[in-house]
Structures are given as C-alpha cells and as structure tokens.
C-alpha cells in the first residue's frame, strides 16, 4: 500500500517537477454494468508545481475510497452522494451496505472536476499554451487548445509478448464478469 500517495506528488513538485503517479489495487470495483469486482479502484496522482502552493490531485478511481467508507461506517454517517450499490443492486449512500456488496461506484462528481482541473493545468503548463480559462476568452469557435501527447515505448521497458499476454489475460477475466442485469455486455475502453 502506498499510503497517502499525494506525498509523492508533493515531493516531485518540491523538486520543480510535475508528476503523474498511479498504481493498481486488488480487484475491488466492478466494471460498469457488472456485479462482481474485477477492476481495482486504482489511485491516480497528478501534481503541478506552483509557487503559491502546489496543485495536487490524489484520487481513487472509485467515487469513495474504501477507507472513506470504513470511516463513515465507524462514525455512523451516510455518504454525501451515492457511493455504490447494496446487495439488491440499488444505489445507496449507506457505507455499510456498499462494504457488504463490494460494489463501489466508479469515479465522478468532484473527482471528475478535480481530474478536469489537473488535466487542464498539465495541458497548459506542459505546452505553455492556453488553459481552459484562456480558451474560454477567445472569440469564435473553440480553438487555441493545449494538447499533450505522451507515448511510452513499451518494448524498451518490457518484452512485448509478455505485456500482450498480461493485457489479454486481464481482458479475458473482465469479460467473464457477472452482469448486473441492467446493462448490456461488459465492455472496456476500445472494446467496441
């Protein structure tokens, strides 16, 4: 467990660097439309150095972390928004019900807003281009965007056949998820 991952983002910023840090977890979140957990609530840290205080996003890819659910349960309080599904498949704010079902919601709400902000700062900061603020002030149709393309040459890091086998095993497992009965087949980015 990497504990409070934002620490690594702050360390990078203190050294004058932006950071992208992420990890995977044990299967603890179902794919959208699935009833069984085959994804992780994989945490992500995006950190942008700033002289008046670094901008650091530290988020799980679930709406609430399991730690936040445990704390709310111990304090006897409900979550402020839907946190996941109960054992009957109904959305609920009850942390105990979500912990029992192990069906946490994928991220959204404030995490989506935080992710949007940090992606904007990375796009503007790494390209020395416009942020959404500046784009919104431009006349006419949307233009003047800042776009970042990062590519990792995987073959330089790991044997491609091993990476391909790892990816295929994960997708095969995900495809075997038990559906929740409300959605179509289990899909993942790029599966259509």
């Amino acid at each position: 467990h990497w504990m409070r991952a934002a620490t690594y983002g702050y360390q990078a910023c203190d050294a004058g660097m932006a950071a992208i840090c992420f990890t995977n977890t044990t299967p603890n979140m179902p794919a959208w439309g699935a009833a069984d957990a085959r994804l992780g609530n994989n945490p992500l840290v995006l950190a942008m150095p700033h002289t008046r205080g670094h901008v650091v996003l530290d988020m799980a890819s679930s709406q609430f972390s399991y730690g936040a659910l445990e704390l709310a349960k111990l304090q006897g309080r409900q979550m402020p928004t839907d946190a996941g599904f109960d054992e009957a498949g109904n959305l609920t704010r009850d942390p105990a019900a979500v912990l029992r079902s192990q069906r946490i919601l994928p991220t959204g709400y404030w995490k989506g807003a935080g992710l949007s902000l940090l992606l904007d700062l990375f796009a503007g900061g790494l390209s020395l281009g416009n942020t959404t603020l500046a784009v919104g002030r431009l006349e006419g149709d949307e233009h003047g965007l800042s776009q970042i393309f990062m590519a990792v040459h995987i073959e330089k890091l790991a044997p491609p056949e091993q990476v391909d086998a790892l990816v295929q095993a994960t997708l095969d497992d995900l495809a075997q998820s038990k559906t929740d009965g409300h959605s179509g087949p289990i899909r993942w980015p790029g599966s259509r």
Side-chain angles (χ1 to χ4, degrees):
H1 196 292
W2 70 351
M3 302 306 289
R4 187 171 178 267
T7 300
Y8 306 118
Y10 282 108
Q11 288 174 344
C13 288
D14 287 345
M17 294 180 274
I20 301 172
C21 311
F22 54 92
T23 185
N24 51 14
T25 69
T26 186
N28 60 14
M29 183 172 70
W32 189 252
D36 55 334
R38 293 180 186 247
L39 297 175
N41 66 334
N42 306 326
L44 168 69
V45 173
L46 294 171
M48 179 62 73
H50 181 58
T51 56
R52 294 190 199 165
H54 306 313
V55 184
V56 179
L57 174 73
D58 180 357
M59 61 176 272
S61 50
S62 56
Q63 186 58 38
F64 294 97
S65 68
Y66 276 98
L69 292 172
E70 291 283 355
L71 183 60
K73 178 183 167 190
L74 288 171
Q75 294 173 341
R77 62 179 169 82
Q78 298 288 294
M79 304 311 288
T81 61
D82 289 331
F85 299 91
D86 63 19
E87 291 171 309
N90 301 307
L91 282 172
T92 183
R93 294 179 179 199
D94 179 2
V98 177
L99 289 167
R100 277 192 304 276
S101 74
Q102 295 290 291
R103 290 187 60 201
I104 57 178
L105 266 179
T107 194
Y109 300 108
W110 60 87
K111 290 184 177 184
L115 182 58
S116 173
L117 173 64
L118 267 295
L119 290 173
D120 183 32
L121 294 177
F122 265 71
L126 296 180
S127 69
L128 286 182
N130 292 323
T131 62
T132 299
L133 169 69
V135 171
R137 292 178 175 167
L138 298 174
E139 297 289 327
D141 290 339
E142 182 181 65
H143 66 280
L145 305 176
S146 298
Q147 299 172 333
I148 300 297
F149 298 85
M150 299 171 86
V152 177
H153 195 198
I154 294 176
E155 292 179 9
K156 299 293 184 184
L157 299 174
E161 61 279 353
Q162 289 181 10
V163 174
D164 193 60
L166 180 145
V167 170
Q168 191 60 55
T170 301
L171 295 179
D172 289 345
D173 180 65
L174 193 63
Q176 297 303 311
S177 295
K178 183 177 93 177
T179 66
D180 64 7
H182 302 291
S183 304
I186 303 302
R187 300 188 191 279
W188 51 86
S191 65
R192 291 186 187 189

